[in-house]
Amino acid sequence: MLRPVQALLGVAALAGCSPPDAGAGRWLTQPTNEQHTSLFFPISTGSTHAMGAPAVHVAGAIDCNSCHGTSDTFQGFDCLTCHTPAPTIPNHVQKNVGGFSYDSPSCYGCHPDGIGKGAVDHTLKFPIAPGQVHATGALAVHVAGTIQCTSCHANIADRAKVDCTICHNAADQSAKHAGLIGPEPNNGAPLWSGTGSLPTGETANCLLCHSNGALQRVATHGQSPTLPGGFLIARGGHFQSCEQCHTSRTTDPARRNPQIDFAALPRPCTSCHLEPTTSANHLGTSWPGYPGSYSYNDAACSSCHPNGDIGPFDHSKNFPTTASDVHNSSVAGCTDCHTNRTTPTDIATINCIGCHNNGAAAVDPGGVNSQHTTPAAGATMIGFGYTFDSSTSAASVATNGLCLKCHAGTIATPSWTNLLKLPLTRHSSLCFAVTSGNHRVNQTTGGTPACFTCHNTMNTITKPWGVNWTQVQCTACHTNRPAPTCR
């Protein structure tokens, strides 16, 4: 349909004989290039489709008929007159543009700004690049086929509307979020309750937690270089919906929908763990043994519970700290031994020599060295399996390791009651002589201290840093000699 200027002028003259219709006035008036750019499509000077500019794909200059010439209304438009199958189709197929369709509505749906060079920059909106869970062209998990643009953008004419529930249906997601995704605070709408697209509906709730496409937030929750195990929310008392702790919201202009601001500080521990219940749990009869380190504040909470494990802690598998033990929490608080609060199980961060040293404030009368020499030990152990060295950080770690190697709380015979101390004089009377003679401890065999030649087995299931003193073998030196039985 060609539209000569004379026909338009004639229509305008006839229109002057009738009362103006406010709602129909715009179609009678040809918009300026700038008006067309702001209201419909960019055709102003400098744009790719500027009026009067040379057409790229066909001969001649761009005019109204270039887009509207195949329709009897300006509401219709045709991109394919200029953008012919070649090279348009190969350009999209080779770039793996998911959901591509060679028709004008699809063209406008992806290129409403008229920019056709390069792929659509989707990085700021949602990750769809190769290797991502939602990569276009990748095999879809929840439905048959591959992920395409239309997998999320069901309405190709309005790309701003996204629907996650096309693939993530209600039954599947309700099962996956059961017990974890709970109601919003103050009786708000649930985070997951069915189907629906943006800007409202359940897709908005999907993006509240998964705006960057992450599906493993629960498994990797809170992981960092200082807390590689993360903060436990997949089980236990912190098995709650995200917004219970992460109350801050943020809106990325590129993503449009609000999302939980996981970078902001979560609610403090004491906002949920209230008094007097919390202190009663730590100091009362239900969880006894914490008075040496407990206090009701957020810093104290995170220092003992960096990974969110609410306890009570079974420390018997690691070291004796019950109320009847010499290292009970009234004497040695958690942080007296665990110098790095975020890695309490790292043996290299446990500090025995903070208390057991040779300084004036040492807990051992005369210093810890005196406990490893005659008469306290019954023999001189210095240099034969025991050496105290705190001159460097590495030396201190090694010395702490030697402490736990012998004193991990694994010494046990029918007659020995102190699981932490090596009673060498009693060893001589109840088993055989180790303070004198051929089996004396202050000697080495092939460079190995005599103790560790006979007791050469470490613990396995519990206290793996300690020697298993219940295991002994004589065949390292004596052929076919059975191990003695201690009383």
Side-chain angles (χ1 to χ4, degrees), residues 245-323:
C245 295
H246 298 279
T247 57
S248 299
R249 298 288 190 271
T250 183
T251 301
D252 187 331
R255 289 177 179 157
R256 301 184 60 175
N257 266 62
Q259 56 213 318
I260 292 177
D261 187 1
F262 287 103
L265 290 175
R267 295 174 68 190
C269 305
T270 51
S271 64
C272 294
H273 300 279
L274 305 176
E275 289 285 54
T277 304
T278 305
S279 291
N281 282 339
H282 287 78
L283 304 177
T285 57
S286 56
W287 290 4
Y290 296 102
S293 56
Y294 171 76
S295 60
Y296 182 69
N297 59 69
D298 294 302
C301 294
S302 59
S303 69
C304 284
H305 307 275
N307 67 347
D309 193 337
I310 63 172
F313 303 116
D314 181 7
H315 210 283
S316 63
K317 297 179 180 179
N318 304 296
F319 197 82
T321 60
T322 63

Side-chain angles (χ1 to χ4, degrees), residues 163-175 177 181 189-197 200-206:
D163 189 355
C164 301
T165 64
I166 295 173
C167 298
H168 302 281
N169 61 67
D172 171 69
Q173 293 306 300
S174 292
H177 293 81
I181 301 303
L191 283 178
W192 178 267
S193 62
T195 59
S197 60
T200 59
E202 277 57 54
T203 290
N205 292 327
C206 294

Side-chain angles (χ1 to χ4, degrees), residues 48 52 88 121 146 233 248 252 327 413 418 428 451 455 463:
T48 303
T88 304
D121 184 6
T146 57
I233 61 171
S248 299
D252 187 331
H327 290 91
T413 70
N418 191 331
S428 297
C451 290
H455 299 277
K463 306 179 179 70

